[in-house]
Amino acid sequence: MAVTSRDVARLASVSQPTVSRALRDDPRVSEDTRRRVREAADLLGYVPSEAGRALSSGRTRRVGLLVTDLANQFYAQVIAPVHLELEERGYQLMLHTESADNETVVERLIANGLDGVILATTTIDSVAPVRLRDRGLPFVYFNRTSAMVDADATVVRPERGFDQAVEHVIELGHRRIGAILGPSNTSTAQSRESALRAALAARGVTLDANYVRRCPFDTSAGDEAAASLLALAEPPTVIFCGNDVVAYGALNAARRAGVEVPDGVSIIGFDDLPAASWPIIELSTIAYDFAAMAREAAGLVTQRIVDPDSPIQHVEFGTTFVPRRTLGEASAT
Amino acid sequence: MAVTSRDVARLASVSQPTVSRALRDDPRVSEDTRRRVREAADLLGYVPSEAGRALSSGRTRRVGLLVTDLANQFYAQVIAPVHLELEERGYQLMLHTESADNETVVERLIANGLDGVILATTTIDSVAPVRLRDRGLPFVYFNRTSAMVDADATVVRPERGFDQAVEHVIELGHRRIGAILGPSNTSTAQSRESALRAALAARGVTLDANYVRRCPFDTSAGDEAAASLLALAEPPTVIFCGNDVVAYGALNAARRAGVEVPDGVSIIGFDDLPAASWPIIELSTIAYDFAAMAREAAGLVTQRIVDPDSPIQHVEFGTTFVPRRTLGEASAT
C-alpha cells in the first residue's frame, strides 16, 4: 500500500496540512516540527505526489520541450544539455514530441501544468506562440524567432560562418554554386539563405535559380534534392546544404550517382553534428555551440518563470566555418 | 485570468465537484448535465488541470520512458513510435533522461505520478525494477530483461540473424574473427555474445580471446576498440560489432588506419539503423523491427496499467542478416 500524508501526520502527531507545509519548508511551520515530519516521512518512505504539490504551490517545476522531429540527430544532441541545465536549476524536463503544431498541442501543454515551455519546432506562421502568450504560459524560442510574438530566444547568427565558407569556396575556384535550402516557413532556413546570398553578393557572385532547391531538414529529402542538381547538364561544383542532416543526403546522392566528393562536387553542411567529423564522413560545415545554446534556452525559460516582467532577451550564438574533406577545388568543366 | 472549474460550475448552475465528474464522463452525472457542463466549459475555454484530474481519479494517463543515452541514435528512433502508440491509447509520453540508474530516479518516477514506466536502460544488476515492483508502479522492459524481477518485456532474439551472418562470414573464407561486444552487465550484450558464439561453434569455429574487445555502446568507444584490433600483428579479417553505433566507430578506425573496407577488414553491426543503409555507409548488419518493438512495449505497459493481474508477457522479435558493402571476402594474410 502506498504511504500517504495521513500516515506521516499520524506518526509525527501533526495535522495533514502541516505535513505538506513542513515538507516544502514553509516558514509557518517551526524548525522543530519540520524536522519531526521529515523524520516520519523518511521512516515510512513517504514521497509527496507532484499532483498534490502542484495544487498546493501552483508550480510543478516541470518545463516542456516541444520538438517535432526527434529522429533528426540535431534534436537528440540538444535534449541532453537542456535536461542537464534544468536539473541543475531544480526543474524536470518533459519532452513533447508532437507531429503537428496545432491548437491541441498548446491545450495539452497547459493541461499538463507545465511552468514553462521551450519551443524548438515553431514555424514562423505557427499559432502556438500566440496561444501561449494569451494563456500566460512562459516560453522561449530555441534556435528560432517569430515575427508574430516576441519572446526570449536563443538564435544563431550564421553571417560569419557563411562569410568564411564563401571566401574558401571562391578561392577554390567555384563559380557554379548550388544550394539546398530549408523550408521557407522556418526562421533558420530564412536566416541561412540571407547569410549565404549576402556573402556571395559581397564577392560579386549571385545564386543561379537553377542551382537552388528547397526541402525539409531531413536526409532523404537532401538526397533527392542533390540528385536533381547532379543530374543537370552542367551541375554545380559545390552545394551548400540547409544543415548537416541534409548534407548527409547530398553525400549519399553523390555516391549513388558515382560522383566523387570533393573531386566531382563539394558539399557543405550547417550545425557540425558529431558525425560530421567522423573519418568516414569528414563534412565541411558551419559550426556553432549548440550545447551552450540549449543550456541558455533552459536558463532563459526558468528566469522567465521566476520573473515574468523582466525584459525580453535574445541571446545570439556566432558561427565558424570548419573546412574538411568534402570541400575541394572546383572540378574542371 | 485562468478560468477555473468554479466559473464553469456557476455558468452551468451545478456544484464544483459535478463539473469535474461531468468532464471525466462519470456515469453518476446525467447525460443532460454532462452536456450542459461541457458546453459551459467550451464557452469559457476551460481546460481541467492534470494535477486536479490526477488527484480526483488517481490516474495521470502519463507513461514514463527511461533512457540513459539519448545521443545514441537507437533511442532517437524508438521514441517516435512509443509516443505514437501511447497517443493512440490516450496516454502521454514523459521522457526521463537520467544519467544514473539510481534510487533517486525511481523516487522521481513515482513522485511524478506516472501511471507506468518503460525501462529502456536498465542494466541487469540495476535496483530500479525491484523498487518499482515494491512501490507497485507498473513497468515493462524494453529490449532487455532482468534476472531479479520478472515483468512484461519486449526482447530481441538474435540467434537467427547471427546464424545467417556467420554462415556468410565462413563462406567468404573468414577465420580470424573479431568481436567488439557491449557492456557485460546488459542483457542485450549478453544475448548477442551467446548467439555469436553459438553460431560460430555450430561451424567448429571459436572466438580467439585476443580478438575480443568489450566497450560501451557508442561510436568513439567502438572506434578505439577497433583501432586496437587493427593494430595487432595479425588482425582479424572481420569484426562483429555490438551494435551499429559501435560499427560506425569501427568504420572510422579502419578509415583512419588506412585499412579499406571490406578489402582489408569486414565490419558487421546490429540494429539496422537508418544510416546503416546510406550509400556512404552501406553497413552489413543484423536487422529486426525496432519500431514494432517500441510500439509493443507501449502497448504492454498500458495493458498492465489497466489489468495489473494479467499474466506476464515476453514478446520476442526475430532477426535477419542484411549483407551490404562492408562484408567481403577474407583478405589474404
Side-chain angles (χ1 to χ4, degrees), chain A residues 47 50 83 92 97 107 111-112, chain B residues 50 83 92 97 107 111-112:
Chain A
V47 182
E50 283 279 336
H83 176 264
Q92 267 197 294
T97 52
E107 293 310 310
N112 262 312
Chain B
E50 284 279 337
H83 177 264
Q92 266 197 293
T97 52
E107 293 309 312
N112 262 311

Side-chain angles (χ1 to χ4, degrees), chain A:
Chain A
M1 284 309 303
V3 176
T4 68
S5 64
R6 185 186 298 266
D7 304 319
V8 178
R10 201 172 297 140
L11 184 65
S13 308
V14 298
S15 72
Q16 238 178 305
T18 303
V19 169
S20 45
R21 279 194 208 109
L23 290 179
R24 56 170 202 269
D25 283 325
D26 188 315
R28 286 172 293 177
V29 180
S30 76
E31 190 66 66
D32 189 55
T33 307
R34 274 188 265 174
R35 193 181 39 72
R36 205 163 74 237
V37 169
R38 262 198 303 271
E39 283 172 5
D42 283 352
L43 206 64
L44 295 171
Y46 170 71
V47 182
S49 88
E50 283 279 336
R53 210 152 51 203
L55 276 191
S56 59
S57 74
R59 286 271 172 84
T60 58
R61 298 199 78 83
R62 280 203 296 259
V63 167
L65 174 64
L66 189 63
V67 169
T68 310
D69 180 16
L70 255 180
N72 182 336
Q73 291 167 45
F74 176 71
Y75 291 110
Q77 295 301 320
V78 155
I79 292 165
V82 166
H83 176 264
L84 195 67
E85 183 70 27
L86 287 176
E87 190 169 50
E88 284 177 11
R89 292 168 178 259
Y91 288 82
Q92 267 197 294
L93 170 63
M94 195 162 173
L95 188 64
H96 286 256
T97 52
E98 302 296 341
S99 31
D101 185 16
N102 55 26
E103 302 273 336
T104 327
V105 174
V106 172
E107 293 310 310
R108 273 205 202 182
L109 295 171
I110 289 163
N112 262 312
L114 299 175
D115 287 350
V117 179
I118 300 170
L119 291 180
T121 58
T122 322
T123 52
I124 47 182
D125 46 5
S126 160
V127 297
V130 179
R131 295 274 173 275
L132 289 169
R133 182 199 55 192
D134 292 350
R135 300 307 211 104
L137 186 61
F139 69 95
V140 305
Y141 295 109
F142 175 77
N143 190 21
R144 62 204 63 233
T145 53
S146 163
M148 285 165 78
V149 184
D150 195 18
D152 297 315
T154 58
V155 283
V156 174
R157 293 296 306 254
E159 291 78 5
R160 186 158 164 267
F162 275 106
D163 203 64
Q164 295 172 341
V166 167
E167 180 73 24
H168 269 71
V169 159
I170 297 296
E171 271 177 18
L172 288 164
H174 293 276
R175 292 300 177 272
R176 299 205 308 270
I177 293 165
I180 303 176
L181 307 170
S184 53
N185 66 343
T186 62
S187 65
T188 46
Q190 287 186 349
S191 70
R192 292 171 204 175
E193 178 178 354
S194 305
L196 172 60
R197 290 187 188 275
L200 289 170
R203 288 160 186 87
V205 180
T206 51
L207 213 46
D208 182 336
N210 292 321
Y211 289 156
V212 175
R213 298 289 181 275
R214 237 172 244 289
C215 74
F217 286 127
D218 72 63
T219 299
S220 60
D223 187 330
E224 205 178 308
S228 91
L229 289 174
L230 295 173
L232 294 172
E234 205 176 51
T237 59
V238 61
I239 303 175
F240 281 90
C241 297
N243 67 8
D244 284 359
V245 169
V246 168
Y248 301 155
L251 292 172
N252 286 333
R255 176 69 59 98
R256 197 180 297 104
V259 178
E260 289 289 324
V261 176
D263 296 345
V265 67
S266 289
I267 307 282
I268 297 172
F270 192 100
D271 279 341
D272 199 20
L273 295 177
S277 61
W278 287 0
I280 57 168
I281 295 186
E282 288 263 47
L283 177 68
S284 298
T285 190
I286 293 169
Y288 59 98
D289 193 343
F290 52 75
M293 190 166 79
R295 294 187 70 132
E296 182 68 42
L300 285 175
V301 75
T302 61
Q303 284 168 39
R304 180 60 54 197
I305 290 164
V306 174
D307 184 3
D309 300 317
S310 59
I312 286 175
Q313 290 185 65
H314 289 188
V315 183
E316 299 185 336
F317 290 81
T319 47
T320 318
F321 179 59
V322 183
R324 296 199 185 99
R325 183 187 58 83
T326 66
L327 173 60
E329 286 183 22
S331 45
T333 312

